[in-house]
């Protein structure tokens, strides 16, 4: 290459640089924001040291949630004052990048800290949980916009008269206890948006659970409990019977109570799909598209988070969720190299097609 060509190629290189930056598609949250919605990812603070991971989160997320690091088992490992150091890391990262944070989750039957387990079924169980609720919400006051105050309290398999789970604190006057948890959270941060979050309410066969959740929400609302939003986890399974009309009606019923809705933990289980990657990715994207188009049509829906970022860093899935052929599942928006999959593009298009709020 002669000197002139060399200078020309360097010059063109410089010209191409800003162009390449401009040409990068906007991230998912930008697509969401243009309709008044928001998008985010569930993450773990230790994953942020991976540059490619952090960059994907920074590009796509307007809000983040800790996959596990704000759960009680993590924040109060010993019977002593809670330790929020790890959870603080998530909040600091969010602040640094102008993102919001969802607090997940305060009251949850699964995996309480081992030291607390026995106490939870005893006479002091409820007080322990109410004090903890007040403590964690106070610690993050003004920094965490949204709290999953109560997670997965409805369980029809427990066969209790009110539909609540067979778990110590819910057994006697469970509705009243749940109401008190919301009141404690509200007292600790009156500006936080308070959520009841649950799964198993997305599909056609889940009408009974939808009804039990509606019953709980109605009861709370009728008692003027500060509950502002329903979190619908949205762990979808490709190939499952989704009834658009039923789901639409459910969202409307929630909205009519003056309760907002967020899709909090979207992922798409591909265990029923063909092994072929192109077909599988298309099937996963179609499943999400059908679901999101209905959800985003409801004005009370405020946005979406996925339960993980890429197929490389997805959660350890339970045995019943794994594929019979043992191939690695492809449930998330980015692939194992953090490249956008058809699911990423489907989410983006659903935001584009959503009505503006
Ligand atoms: C899961 C995490 O992904 C796992 O790493 C952990 O072992 C168990 O919890 N509903 C929820 C989430 O509300 O907190 C769960 O997260 C997935 C189901």
């Amino acid at each position: 290459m002669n000197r002139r060509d060399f200078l020309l190629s360097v010059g063109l290189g410089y010209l191409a640089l800003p162009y390449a930056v401009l040409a990068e598609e906007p991230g998912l949250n930008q697509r969401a924001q243009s309709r008044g919605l928001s998008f985010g990812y569930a993450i773990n603070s230790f994953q942020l040291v991976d540059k490619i991971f952090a960059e994907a989160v920074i590009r796509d997320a307007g809000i983040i949630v800790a996959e596990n690091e704000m759960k009680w088992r993590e924040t109060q490992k010993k019977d002593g004052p809670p330790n929020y150091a790890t959870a603080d890391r998530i909040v600091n990262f969010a602040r640094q990048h102008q993102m919001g944070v969802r607090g997940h989750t305060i009251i949850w039957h699964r995996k309480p800290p081992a030291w607390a387990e026995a106490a939870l079924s005893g006479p002091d169980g409820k007080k322990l949980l109410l004090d903890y609720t007040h403590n964690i919400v106070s610690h993050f006051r003004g920094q965490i916009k949204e709290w999953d105050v109560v997670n997965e309290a409805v369980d029809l398999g427990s066969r209790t008269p009110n539909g609540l789970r067979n778990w110590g604190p819910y057994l006697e006057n469970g509705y009243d206890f749940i109401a008190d948890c919301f009141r404690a959270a509200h007292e600790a941060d009156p500006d936080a948006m308070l959520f009841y979050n649950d799964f198993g309410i997305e599909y056609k066969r889940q009408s009974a659970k939808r009804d039990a959740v509606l019953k709980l929400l109605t009861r709370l609302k009728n008692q003027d409990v500060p509950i502002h939003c329903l979190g619908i986890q949205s762990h979808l399974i490709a190939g499952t019977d989704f009834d658009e009309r039923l789901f639409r009606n459910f969202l409307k019923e929630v909205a009519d109570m003056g309760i907002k809705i967020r899709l909090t933990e979207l992922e798409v289980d591909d265990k029923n799909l063909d092994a072929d990657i192109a077909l599988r990715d298309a099937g996963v994207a179609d499943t999400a598209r059908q679901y999101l188009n209905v959800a985003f049509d409801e004005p009370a829906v405020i946005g979406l988070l996925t339960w993980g970022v890429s197929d490389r860093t997805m959660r350890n899935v339970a045995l019943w969720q794994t594929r019979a052929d043992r191939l690695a599942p492809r449930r998330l928006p980015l692939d194992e190299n953090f490249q956008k999959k058809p699911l990423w593009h489907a989410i983006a298009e659903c935001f584009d097609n959503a009505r503006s709020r």
Side-chain angles (χ1 to χ4, degrees):
M1 193 189 284
N2 65 32
R3 190 179 140 81
R4 183 177 155 275
D5 285 350
F6 173 71
L7 288 175
L8 200 64
S9 72
V10 171
L12 285 176
Y14 274 114
L15 279 178
L17 194 65
Y19 180 71
V21 172
L22 285 177
E24 159 92 67
E25 250 179 314
L28 289 176
N29 189 57
Q30 263 171 280
R31 302 280 276 263
Q33 260 186 327
S34 69
R35 297 294 182 271
L37 291 157
S38 61
F39 176 81
Y41 285 133
I43 63 159
N44 296 280
S45 68
F46 57 82
Q47 293 170 319
L48 294 169
V49 296
D50 187 354
K51 193 158 170 268
I52 189 167
F53 181 94
E55 278 171 358
V57 174
I58 292 165
R59 179 194 63 207
D60 283 336
I63 185 158
I64 51 176
V65 63
E67 183 181 354
N68 292 309
E69 290 164 324
M70 280 189 201
K71 290 173 180 168
W72 193 23
R73 169 172 285 229
E74 300 299 320
T75 55
Q76 202 170 6
K77 291 184 176 155
K78 293 193 203 114
D79 186 4
N83 179 344
Y84 298 117
T86 313
D88 284 337
R89 256 184 251 156
I90 304 252
V91 174
N92 291 340
F93 176 83
R95 185 184 313 113
Q96 213 180 328
H97 298 286
Q98 291 93 45
M99 294 169 188
V101 182
R102 305 198 72 240
H104 174 79
T105 180
I106 309 174
I107 307 297
W108 195 30
H109 64 287
R110 261 176 82 184
K111 298 194 189 175
W115 62 266
E117 215 144 340
L120 287 178
S121 6
D124 300 332
K126 290 182 180 173
K127 174 150 190 331
L128 189 62
L129 287 169
L130 288 171
D131 288 349
Y132 173 66
T133 302
H134 202 275
N135 192 295
I136 189 167
V137 177
S138 302
H139 177 85
F140 290 108
R141 180 177 177 144
Q143 302 184 77
I144 290 192
K145 295 184 181 183
E146 301 185 359
W147 274 107
D148 284 338
V149 179
V150 177
N151 197 31
E152 306 177 351
V154 170
D155 177 45
L156 299 187
S158 293
R159 299 185 180 279
T160 53
N162 58 10
L164 291 184
R165 189 175 292 279
N166 183 2
W167 185 51
Y170 299 147
L171 287 184
E172 258 172 70
N173 305 321
Y175 278 168
D176 293 341
F177 168 64
I178 290 175
D180 286 344
C181 294
F182 279 92
R183 291 191 187 107
H186 186 62
E187 191 186 282
D189 186 350
D191 295 327
M193 199 169 181
L194 305 183
F195 281 60
Y196 174 71
N197 192 51
D198 213 337
F199 70 97
I201 46 181
E202 299 84 359
Y203 284 116
K204 187 173 176 179
R205 60 182 153 81
Q206 297 164 331
S207 285
K209 184 153 178 186
R210 277 191 290 276
D211 289 346
V213 168
L214 286 173
K215 201 170 124 191
L216 169 64
L217 298 179
T218 307
R219 167 79 182 251
L220 295 173
K221 266 301 198 188
N222 287 345
Q223 296 188 339
D224 274 333
V225 172
I227 173 167
H228 311 114
C229 201
L230 171 68
I232 303 180
Q233 291 187 7
S234 315
H235 298 285
L236 304 183
I237 305 176
T240 300
D241 214 357
F242 176 66
D243 187 315
E244 295 194 3
R245 193 186 52 86
L246 282 181
F247 192 58
R248 196 181 284 279
N249 290 346
F250 173 65
L251 299 179
K252 174 92 174 39
E253 279 195 70
V254 175
D256 285 347
M257 280 184 229
I259 295 180
K260 300 277 187 208
I261 299 157
R262 187 191 269 293
L263 313 175
T264 50
E265 307 182 11
L266 182 99
E267 58 180 347
V268 184
D269 187 334
D270 64 1
K271 71 175 173 202
N272 298 322
L273 298 177
D274 201 276
D276 179 84
I277 286 189
L279 287 177
R280 236 192 312 158
D281 285 356
V284 162
D286 284 347
T287 301
R289 192 179 291 114
Q290 184 190 24
Y291 178 77
L292 293 177
N293 277 333
V294 176
F296 292 165
D297 211 28
E298 168 52 60
V301 169
I302 62 170
L304 160 72
L305 284 88
T306 60
W307 204 243
V309 176
S310 97
D311 293 335
R312 190 200 304 177
T313 55
M314 61 167 211
R315 65 171 166 145
N316 290 326
V317 287
L319 270 183
W320 59 269
Q321 295 170 301
T322 47
R323 298 178 57 86
D325 58 18
R326 299 280 153 196
L327 290 175
R330 300 180 60 84
R331 332 169 131 226
L332 290 168
L334 304 179
D335 72 9
E336 60 284 5
N337 299 314
F338 291 86
Q339 299 301 302
K340 296 167 187 168
K341 290 166 57 193
L343 176 57
W344 190 100
H345 293 286
I347 293 172
E349 281 160 30
C350 290
F351 283 133
D352 293 346
N353 294 335
R355 45 162 109 191
S356 288
R357 298 48 197 151

